[in-house]
Amino acid sequence: MAGAYGGPEVLSVIDVAVPEPEPNQVRITVRAAGVNPFDHKLYSGIFGADPGQLPLRLGVEAAGVVTAAGVDAVGPAGPIAVGDEVIAHHAPGAYATELVVPASSVVPKPVALSWEQAGGLLAAGTTAVHVLEAIGLGKDETVLIHGAAGGVGLVAVQLAVASGATVVATASRAKHDLLQELGAMPVVYGPGLADRVRTMAPDGVHAAADLVGTDEAVDVSVELVPDRFRIATIAGYERGVRVGIQLLGGVPGGDPGTEIRAAARLRLTEAAAARRLRTVVADAYPLREAAVAHRKIMAGHTTGKIVLVP
């Protein structure tokens, strides 16, 4: 929980009463909660710093076991019962040991996933689905994915490859082996990026996804992709506005993709259950070390997702 606006130092763990679930709600004992860049942005003040909103409960996704279910607790996959292993997203306040959420936020946890993998699957996964749908990626097209080794990027790479697209993926050289395993053509970012991408995609780039928010990612995408509506960013909003590309997410002028992301949850869990989607967890930290986890994610060099565990 954030008791003030600022950096990770404002985070703390406090005890609060957990209510009984009302109709169409469930209570979950949390086994893992995903850490996402949005969580830090929320208490950093980037979205505003209204003291009346404090303290801020953080987190939007969690995996755990249902311990109580209200009347008519029915989720996207059907009725929910005590003892069900589930993933909750969208789940405000997911940094917790217990959580009450709407039944509509809850889907079954695939047996194939660990708790840590499940806790970090859906925020990144639904964002990846939204990005690829927004840029209209088709079979036999080439897409440039910036920040391909992050949580969203690894899912986007796998979904794009599965759709029949050719994926050029930017990442530091240490992450290239993993991206090659997933079917992408990795390329190191930095000066000369556009020329390196042209060499790898001599027939051109049809679409691009900026998942990292750097000026380089936006500018190289604009240089290589003829149609700016086929470029989307989930982080480079200021630059994106200037050059006229799609802004995705809950920012002014952005497309939150609410319906697309909600519909993607079962698609993602089904793919994970069938082992068609690999979920990579970079690190797991105890809940009391949320500040450490946030400093790690703010550094921007993780491979996959960071999660919190009780």
Side-chain angles (χ1 to χ4, degrees), residues 137-181:
L137 186 63
K139 184 180 179 181
D140 299 325
E141 291 191 319
T142 296
V143 61
L144 173 60
I145 298 179
H146 299 275
V152 177
L154 289 175
V155 179
V157 164
Q158 293 177 78
L159 295 178
V161 169
S163 75
T166 296
V167 179
V168 180
T170 75
S172 62
R173 199 170 300 279
K175 302 171 184 178
H176 285 195
D177 287 349
L178 173 60
L179 291 168
Q180 286 180 320
E181 288 177 22

mmCIF file of all heavy atoms in Angstrom, residues 137-181:
data_model
loop_
_atom_site.group_PDB
_atom_site.id
_atom_site.type_symbol
_atom_site.label_atom_id
_atom_site.label_comp_id
_atom_site.label_asym_id
_atom_site.label_seq_id
_atom_site.Cartn_x
_atom_site.Cartn_y
_atom_site.Cartn_z
ATOM 1 N N LEU A 137 -2.430 -6.950 -36.909
ATOM 2 C CA LEU A 137 -1.410 -7.849 -37.431
ATOM 3 C C LEU A 137 -2.031 -9.057 -38.112
ATOM 4 O O LEU A 137 -2.912 -9.720 -37.553
ATOM 5 C CB LEU A 137 -0.485 -8.311 -36.301
ATOM 6 C CG LEU A 137 0.711 -9.152 -36.742
ATOM 7 C CD1 LEU A 137 1.630 -8.337 -37.644
ATOM 8 C CD2 LEU A 137 1.464 -9.662 -35.522
ATOM 9 N N GLY A 138 -1.580 -9.352 -39.328
ATOM 10 C CA GLY A 138 -2.097 -10.471 -40.087
ATOM 11 C C GLY A 138 -1.039 -11.511 -40.381
ATOM 12 O O GLY A 138 0.166 -11.288 -40.205
ATOM 13 N N LYS A 139 -1.496 -12.660 -40.852
ATOM 14 C CA LYS A 139 -0.595 -13.737 -41.234
ATOM 15 C C LYS A 139 0.324 -13.280 -42.361
ATOM 16 O O LYS A 139 -0.095 -12.528 -43.245
ATOM 17 C CB LYS A 139 -1.419 -14.946 -41.683
ATOM 18 C CG LYS A 139 -0.603 -16.169 -42.029
ATOM 19 C CD LYS A 139 -1.507 -17.315 -42.461
ATOM 20 C CE LYS A 139 -0.675 -18.548 -42.840
ATOM 21 N NZ LYS A 139 -1.539 -19.659 -43.290
ATOM 22 N N ASP A 140 1.562 -13.739 -42.315
ATOM 23 C CA ASP A 140 2.560 -13.440 -43.344
ATOM 24 C C ASP A 140 3.017 -11.980 -43.344
ATOM 25 O O ASP A 140 3.688 -11.543 -44.282
ATOM 26 C CB ASP A 140 2.063 -13.818 -44.748
ATOM 27 C CG ASP A 140 1.758 -15.308 -44.860
ATOM 28 O OD1 ASP A 140 2.489 -16.106 -44.225
ATOM 29 O OD2 ASP A 140 0.805 -15.678 -45.555
ATOM 30 N N GLU A 141 2.657 -11.215 -42.303
ATOM 31 C CA GLU A 141 3.158 -9.852 -42.179
ATOM 32 C C GLU A 141 4.355 -9.834 -41.227
ATOM 33 O O GLU A 141 4.592 -10.788 -40.484
ATOM 34 C CB GLU A 141 2.064 -8.915 -41.670
ATOM 35 C CG GLU A 141 0.954 -8.684 -42.682
ATOM 36 C CD GLU A 141 0.037 -7.558 -42.266
ATOM 37 O OE1 GLU A 141 -0.292 -7.478 -41.060
ATOM 38 O OE2 GLU A 141 -0.357 -6.767 -43.137
ATOM 39 N N THR A 142 5.084 -8.723 -41.271
ATOM 40 C CA THR A 142 6.241 -8.553 -40.385
ATOM 41 C C THR A 142 5.931 -7.464 -39.371
ATOM 42 O O THR A 142 5.483 -6.380 -39.736
ATOM 43 C CB THR A 142 7.498 -8.174 -41.183
ATOM 44 O OG1 THR A 142 7.840 -9.248 -42.062
ATOM 45 C CG2 THR A 142 8.679 -7.910 -40.247
ATOM 46 N N VAL A 143 6.165 -7.769 -38.099
ATOM 47 C CA VAL A 143 5.918 -6.815 -37.024
ATOM 48 C C VAL A 143 7.216 -6.573 -36.260
ATOM 49 O O VAL A 143 8.000 -7.499 -36.023
ATOM 50 C CB VAL A 143 4.810 -7.313 -36.077
ATOM 51 C CG1 VAL A 143 5.187 -8.628 -35.416
ATOM 52 C CG2 VAL A 143 4.486 -6.260 -35.015
ATOM 53 N N LEU A 144 7.452 -5.326 -35.894
ATOM 54 C CA LEU A 144 8.585 -4.940 -35.059
ATOM 55 C C LEU A 144 8.075 -4.738 -33.635
ATOM 56 O O LEU A 144 7.198 -3.902 -33.402
ATOM 57 C CB LEU A 144 9.207 -3.653 -35.587
ATOM 58 C CG LEU A 144 10.314 -3.000 -34.754
ATOM 59 C CD1 LEU A 144 11.496 -3.948 -34.575
ATOM 60 C CD2 LEU A 144 10.751 -1.681 -35.384
ATOM 61 N N ILE A 145 8.602 -5.516 -32.691
ATOM 62 C CA ILE A 145 8.181 -5.418 -31.296
ATOM 63 C C ILE A 145 9.347 -4.898 -30.469
ATOM 64 O O ILE A 145 10.386 -5.557 -30.356
ATOM 65 C CB ILE A 145 7.693 -6.772 -30.753
ATOM 66 C CG1 ILE A 145 6.474 -7.253 -31.550
ATOM 67 C CG2 ILE A 145 7.363 -6.670 -29.264
ATOM 68 C CD1 ILE A 145 5.928 -8.601 -31.087
ATOM 69 N N HIS A 146 9.178 -3.703 -29.903
ATOM 70 C CA HIS A 146 10.198 -3.091 -29.046
ATOM 71 C C HIS A 146 9.977 -3.522 -27.590
ATOM 72 O O HIS A 146 8.849 -3.555 -27.119
ATOM 73 C CB HIS A 146 10.111 -1.568 -29.120
ATOM 74 C CG HIS A 146 10.326 -1.003 -30.482
ATOM 75 N ND1 HIS A 146 11.576 -0.741 -30.986
ATOM 76 C CD2 HIS A 146 9.442 -0.632 -31.444
ATOM 77 C CE1 HIS A 146 11.453 -0.223 -32.205
ATOM 78 N NE2 HIS A 146 10.178 -0.149 -32.502
ATOM 79 N N GLY A 147 11.063 -3.817 -26.881
ATOM 80 C CA GLY A 147 10.918 -4.278 -25.500
ATOM 81 C C GLY A 147 10.368 -5.685 -25.457
ATOM 82 O O GLY A 147 9.542 -6.023 -24.604
ATOM 83 N N ALA A 148 10.863 -6.538 -26.360
ATOM 84 C CA ALA A 148 10.257 -7.853 -26.572
ATOM 85 C C ALA A 148 10.521 -8.846 -25.454
ATOM 86 O O ALA A 148 9.840 -9.874 -25.373
ATOM 87 C CB ALA A 148 10.750 -8.431 -27.898
ATOM 88 N N ALA A 149 11.484 -8.585 -24.580
ATOM 89 C CA ALA A 149 11.796 -9.536 -23.516
ATOM 90 C C ALA A 149 11.109 -9.205 -22.196
ATOM 91 O O ALA A 149 11.293 -9.920 -21.205
ATOM 92 C CB ALA A 149 13.308 -9.616 -23.292
ATOM 93 N N GLY A 150 10.303 -8.145 -22.161
ATOM 94 C CA GLY A 150 9.543 -7.818 -20.961
ATOM 95 C C GLY A 150 8.306 -8.694 -20.835
ATOM 96 O O GLY A 150 8.046 -9.567 -21.672
ATOM 97 N N GLY A 151 7.511 -8.444 -19.804
ATOM 98 C CA GLY A 151 6.328 -9.265 -19.569
ATOM 99 C C GLY A 151 5.352 -9.238 -20.727
ATOM 100 O O GLY A 151 4.886 -10.281 -21.202
ATOM 101 N N VAL A 152 5.001 -8.044 -21.199
ATOM 102 C CA VAL A 152 4.089 -7.919 -22.331
ATOM 103 C C VAL A 152 4.759 -8.424 -23.600
ATOM 104 O O VAL A 152 4.142 -9.125 -24.415
ATOM 105 C CB VAL A 152 3.628 -6.457 -22.511
ATOM 106 C CG1 VAL A 152 2.725 -6.323 -23.732
ATOM 107 C CG2 VAL A 152 2.901 -5.963 -21.262
ATOM 108 N N GLY A 153 6.020 -8.088 -23.773
ATOM 109 C CA GLY A 153 6.723 -8.433 -24.994
ATOM 110 C C GLY A 153 6.803 -9.923 -25.247
ATOM 111 O O GLY A 153 6.578 -10.385 -26.377
ATOM 112 N N LEU A 154 7.112 -10.715 -24.224
ATOM 113 C CA LEU A 154 7.246 -12.150 -24.429
ATOM 114 C C LEU A 154 5.926 -12.782 -24.842
ATOM 115 O O LEU A 154 5.898 -13.711 -25.657
ATOM 116 C CB LEU A 154 7.778 -12.814 -23.156
ATOM 117 C CG LEU A 154 9.245 -12.515 -22.832
ATOM 118 C CD1 LEU A 154 9.637 -13.133 -21.488
ATOM 119 C CD2 LEU A 154 10.172 -13.031 -23.929
ATOM 120 N N VAL A 155 4.820 -12.292 -24.302
ATOM 121 C CA VAL A 155 3.522 -12.810 -24.723
ATOM 122 C C VAL A 155 3.210 -12.354 -26.146
ATOM 123 O O VAL A 155 2.759 -13.142 -26.985
ATOM 124 C CB VAL A 155 2.406 -12.361 -23.764
ATOM 125 C CG1 VAL A 155 1.050 -12.894 -24.245
ATOM 126 C CG2 VAL A 155 2.673 -12.849 -22.356
ATOM 127 N N ALA A 156 3.464 -11.080 -26.444
ATOM 128 C CA ALA A 156 3.194 -10.561 -27.779
ATOM 129 C C ALA A 156 3.991 -11.312 -28.841
ATOM 130 O O ALA A 156 3.467 -11.627 -29.921
ATOM 131 C CB ALA A 156 3.499 -9.065 -27.839
ATOM 132 N N VAL A 157 5.253 -11.598 -28.555
ATOM 133 C CA VAL A 157 6.083 -12.354 -29.500
ATOM 134 C C VAL A 157 5.450 -13.715 -29.788
ATOM 135 O O VAL A 157 5.298 -14.122 -30.948
ATOM 136 C CB VAL A 157 7.509 -12.531 -28.940
ATOM 137 C CG1 VAL A 157 8.260 -13.623 -29.705
ATOM 138 C CG2 VAL A 157 8.277 -11.215 -29.014
ATOM 139 N N GLN A 158 5.065 -14.422 -28.738
ATOM 140 C CA GLN A 158 4.516 -15.764 -28.931
ATOM 141 C C GLN A 158 3.199 -15.742 -29.690
ATOM 142 O O GLN A 158 2.960 -16.571 -30.577
ATOM 143 C CB GLN A 158 4.333 -16.446 -27.573
ATOM 144 C CG GLN A 158 5.648 -16.737 -26.867
ATOM 145 C CD GLN A 158 5.437 -17.332 -25.498
ATOM 146 O OE1 GLN A 158 5.148 -18.526 -25.357
ATOM 147 N NE2 GLN A 158 5.573 -16.508 -24.468
ATOM 148 N N LEU A 159 2.337 -14.792 -29.371
ATOM 149 C CA LEU A 159 1.049 -14.709 -30.062
ATOM 150 C C LEU A 159 1.239 -14.328 -31.522
ATOM 151 O O LEU A 159 0.552 -14.852 -32.413
ATOM 152 C CB LEU A 159 0.139 -13.694 -29.365
ATOM 153 C CG LEU A 159 -0.295 -14.035 -27.931
ATOM 154 C CD1 LEU A 159 -1.145 -12.908 -27.370
ATOM 155 C CD2 LEU A 159 -1.053 -15.357 -27.880
ATOM 156 N N ALA A 160 2.164 -13.416 -31.786
ATOM 157 C CA ALA A 160 2.410 -12.988 -33.159
ATOM 158 C C ALA A 160 2.990 -14.127 -33.990
ATOM 159 O O ALA A 160 2.574 -14.359 -35.133
ATOM 160 C CB ALA A 160 3.341 -11.778 -33.178
ATOM 161 N N VAL A 161 3.949 -14.856 -33.426
ATOM 162 C CA VAL A 161 4.531 -15.998 -34.135
ATOM 163 C C VAL A 161 3.459 -17.050 -34.407
ATOM 164 O O VAL A 161 3.370 -17.608 -35.506
ATOM 165 C CB VAL A 161 5.697 -16.600 -33.315
ATOM 166 C CG1 VAL A 161 6.125 -17.943 -33.893
ATOM 167 C CG2 VAL A 161 6.876 -15.635 -33.285
ATOM 168 N N ALA A 162 2.609 -17.323 -33.408
ATOM 169 C CA ALA A 162 1.551 -18.316 -33.583
ATOM 170 C C ALA A 162 0.554 -17.921 -34.659
ATOM 171 O O ALA A 162 -0.073 -18.783 -35.287
ATOM 172 C CB ALA A 162 0.828 -18.536 -32.257
ATOM 173 N N SER A 163 0.396 -16.612 -34.884
ATOM 174 C CA SER A 163 -0.540 -16.141 -35.909
ATOM 175 C C SER A 163 0.015 -16.253 -37.319
ATOM 176 O O SER A 163 -0.689 -16.010 -38.290
ATOM 177 C CB SER A 163 -0.924 -14.679 -35.631
ATOM 178 O OG SER A 163 0.136 -13.798 -35.987
ATOM 179 N N GLY A 164 1.298 -16.592 -37.437
ATOM 180 C CA GLY A 164 1.917 -16.709 -38.742
ATOM 181 C C GLY A 164 2.717 -15.502 -39.162
ATOM 182 O O GLY A 164 3.203 -15.438 -40.303
ATOM 183 N N ALA A 165 2.881 -14.535 -38.259
ATOM 184 C CA ALA A 165 3.641 -13.326 -38.578
ATOM 185 C C ALA A 165 5.137 -13.555 -38.370
ATOM 186 O O ALA A 165 5.557 -14.454 -37.631
ATOM 187 C CB ALA A 165 3.174 -12.161 -37.704
ATOM 188 N N THR A 166 5.927 -12.727 -39.029
ATOM 189 C CA THR A 166 7.366 -12.682 -38.794
ATOM 190 C C THR A 166 7.626 -11.598 -37.760
ATOM 191 O O THR A 166 7.140 -10.471 -37.906
ATOM 192 C CB THR A 166 8.124 -12.355 -40.090
ATOM 193 O OG1 THR A 166 7.907 -13.415 -41.027
ATOM 194 C CG2 THR A 166 9.616 -12.208 -39.828
ATOM 195 N N VAL A 167 8.380 -11.921 -36.733
ATOM 196 C CA VAL A 167 8.587 -11.000 -35.617
ATOM 197 C C VAL A 167 10.052 -10.592 -35.536
ATOM 198 O O VAL A 167 10.938 -11.435 -35.387
ATOM 199 C CB VAL A 167 8.164 -11.631 -34.279
ATOM 200 C CG1 VAL A 167 8.421 -10.662 -33.127
ATOM 201 C CG2 VAL A 167 6.703 -12.044 -34.324
ATOM 202 N N VAL A 168 10.303 -9.287 -35.642
ATOM 203 C CA VAL A 168 11.606 -8.713 -35.352
ATOM 204 C C VAL A 168 11.497 -8.106 -33.956
ATOM 205 O O VAL A 168 10.619 -7.267 -33.709
ATOM 206 C CB VAL A 168 12.018 -7.652 -36.382
ATOM 207 C CG1 VAL A 168 13.394 -7.081 -36.036
ATOM 208 C CG2 VAL A 168 12.032 -8.242 -37.789
ATOM 209 N N ALA A 169 12.364 -8.540 -33.047
ATOM 210 C CA ALA A 169 12.184 -8.224 -31.633
ATOM 211 C C ALA A 169 13.406 -7.524 -31.066
ATOM 212 O O ALA A 169 14.512 -8.064 -31.102
ATOM 213 C CB ALA A 169 11.928 -9.513 -30.852
ATOM 214 N N THR A 170 13.225 -6.315 -30.516
ATOM 215 C CA THR A 170 14.354 -5.608 -29.923
ATOM 216 C C THR A 170 14.535 -6.026 -28.467
ATOM 217 O O THR A 170 13.572 -6.182 -27.716
ATOM 218 C CB THR A 170 14.190 -4.075 -29.985
ATOM 219 O OG1 THR A 170 13.227 -3.646 -29.014
ATOM 220 C CG2 THR A 170 13.768 -3.619 -31.370
ATOM 221 N N ALA A 171 15.794 -6.196 -28.093
ATOM 222 C CA ALA A 171 16.147 -6.570 -26.714
ATOM 223 C C ALA A 171 17.650 -6.487 -26.580
ATOM 224 O O ALA A 171 18.382 -6.469 -27.580
ATOM 225 C CB ALA A 171 15.666 -7.983 -26.391
ATOM 226 N N SER A 172 18.135 -6.468 -25.346
ATOM 227 C CA SER A 172 19.582 -6.539 -25.128
ATOM 228 C C SER A 172 20.083 -7.905 -25.593
ATOM 229 O O SER A 172 19.341 -8.892 -25.612
ATOM 230 C CB SER A 172 19.914 -6.326 -23.659
ATOM 231 O OG SER A 172 19.340 -7.338 -22.865
ATOM 232 N N ARG A 173 21.355 -7.961 -25.942
ATOM 233 C CA ARG A 173 21.902 -9.170 -26.547
ATOM 234 C C ARG A 173 21.764 -10.394 -25.634
ATOM 235 O O ARG A 173 21.584 -11.524 -26.118
ATOM 236 C CB ARG A 173 23.375 -8.949 -26.899
ATOM 237 C CG ARG A 173 23.909 -9.928 -27.927
ATOM 238 C CD ARG A 173 25.286 -9.520 -28.422
ATOM 239 N NE ARG A 173 25.287 -8.216 -29.057
ATOM 240 C CZ ARG A 173 24.918 -7.997 -30.320
ATOM 241 N NH1 ARG A 173 24.476 -9.005 -31.053
ATOM 242 N NH2 ARG A 173 24.981 -6.780 -30.830
ATOM 243 N N ALA A 174 21.807 -10.200 -24.335
ATOM 244 C CA ALA A 174 21.717 -11.326 -23.408
ATOM 245 C C ALA A 174 20.376 -12.055 -23.495
ATOM 246 O O ALA A 174 20.262 -13.207 -23.054
ATOM 247 C CB ALA A 174 21.954 -10.848 -21.983
ATOM 248 N N LYS A 175 19.384 -11.400 -24.062
ATOM 249 C CA LYS A 175 18.041 -11.996 -24.125
ATOM 250 C C LYS A 175 17.709 -12.570 -25.497
ATOM 251 O O LYS A 175 16.603 -13.064 -25.714
ATOM 252 C CB LYS A 175 17.008 -10.933 -23.727
ATOM 253 C CG LYS A 175 17.261 -10.372 -22.331
ATOM 254 C CD LYS A 175 16.391 -9.187 -22.015
ATOM 255 C CE LYS A 175 16.749 -8.597 -20.646
ATOM 256 N NZ LYS A 175 15.960 -7.402 -20.313
ATOM 257 N N HIS A 176 18.664 -12.536 -26.404
ATOM 258 C CA HIS A 176 18.385 -12.975 -27.770
ATOM 259 C C HIS A 176 18.125 -14.471 -27.878
ATOM 260 O O HIS A 176 17.287 -14.900 -28.688
ATOM 261 C CB HIS A 176 19.529 -12.561 -28.696
ATOM 262 C CG HIS A 176 19.527 -11.106 -29.016
ATOM 263 N ND1 HIS A 176 20.254 -10.562 -30.042
ATOM 264 C CD2 HIS A 176 18.872 -10.055 -28.446
ATOM 265 C CE1 HIS A 176 20.054 -9.250 -30.094
ATOM 266 N NE2 HIS A 176 19.223 -8.928 -29.124
ATOM 267 N N ASP A 177 18.818 -15.279 -27.093
ATOM 268 C CA ASP A 177 18.598 -16.725 -27.180
ATOM 269 C C ASP A 177 17.158 -17.090 -26.856
ATOM 270 O O ASP A 177 16.537 -17.923 -27.535
ATOM 271 C CB ASP A 177 19.557 -17.467 -26.246
ATOM 272 C CG ASP A 177 20.992 -17.476 -26.756
ATOM 273 O OD1 ASP A 177 21.216 -17.102 -27.930
ATOM 274 O OD2 ASP A 177 21.899 -17.840 -25.976
ATOM 275 N N LEU A 178 16.618 -16.487 -25.803
ATOM 276 C CA LEU A 178 15.227 -16.759 -25.424
ATOM 277 C C LEU A 178 14.271 -16.346 -26.541
ATOM 278 O O LEU A 178 13.351 -17.101 -26.895
ATOM 279 C CB LEU A 178 14.880 -16.020 -24.129
ATOM 280 C CG LEU A 178 13.406 -16.067 -23.706
ATOM 281 C CD1 LEU A 178 12.944 -17.493 -23.487
ATOM 282 C CD2 LEU A 178 13.177 -15.230 -22.451
ATOM 283 N N LEU A 179 14.477 -15.167 -27.106
ATOM 284 C CA LEU A 179 13.590 -14.702 -28.165
ATOM 285 C C LEU A 179 13.674 -15.591 -29.404
ATOM 286 O O LEU A 179 12.661 -15.860 -30.056
ATOM 287 C CB LEU A 179 13.914 -13.247 -28.518
ATOM 288 C CG LEU A 179 13.541 -12.243 -27.422
ATOM 289 C CD1 LEU A 179 14.156 -10.883 -27.707
ATOM 290 C CD2 LEU A 179 12.021 -12.133 -27.290
ATOM 291 N N GLN A 180 14.849 -16.089 -29.710
ATOM 292 C CA GLN A 180 14.983 -17.031 -30.824
ATOM 293 C C GLN A 180 14.232 -18.319 -30.534
ATOM 294 O O GLN A 180 13.574 -18.883 -31.421
ATOM 295 C CB GLN A 180 16.457 -17.324 -31.093
ATOM 296 C CG GLN A 180 17.186 -16.182 -31.783
ATOM 297 C CD GLN A 180 18.654 -16.507 -32.024
ATOM 298 O OE1 GLN A 180 19.316 -17.105 -31.179
ATOM 299 N NE2 GLN A 180 19.168 -16.119 -33.187
ATOM 300 N N GLU A 181 14.307 -18.804 -29.291
ATOM 301 C CA GLU A 181 13.560 -20.004 -28.904
ATOM 302 C C GLU A 181 12.063 -19.821 -29.122
ATOM 303 O O GLU A 181 11.356 -20.774 -29.478
ATOM 304 C CB GLU A 181 13.807 -20.327 -27.432
ATOM 305 C CG GLU A 181 15.177 -20.866 -27.109
ATOM 306 C CD GLU A 181 15.342 -21.089 -25.621
ATOM 307 O OE1 GLU A 181 14.312 -21.219 -24.928
ATOM 308 O OE2 GLU A 181 16.493 -21.116 -25.142
#
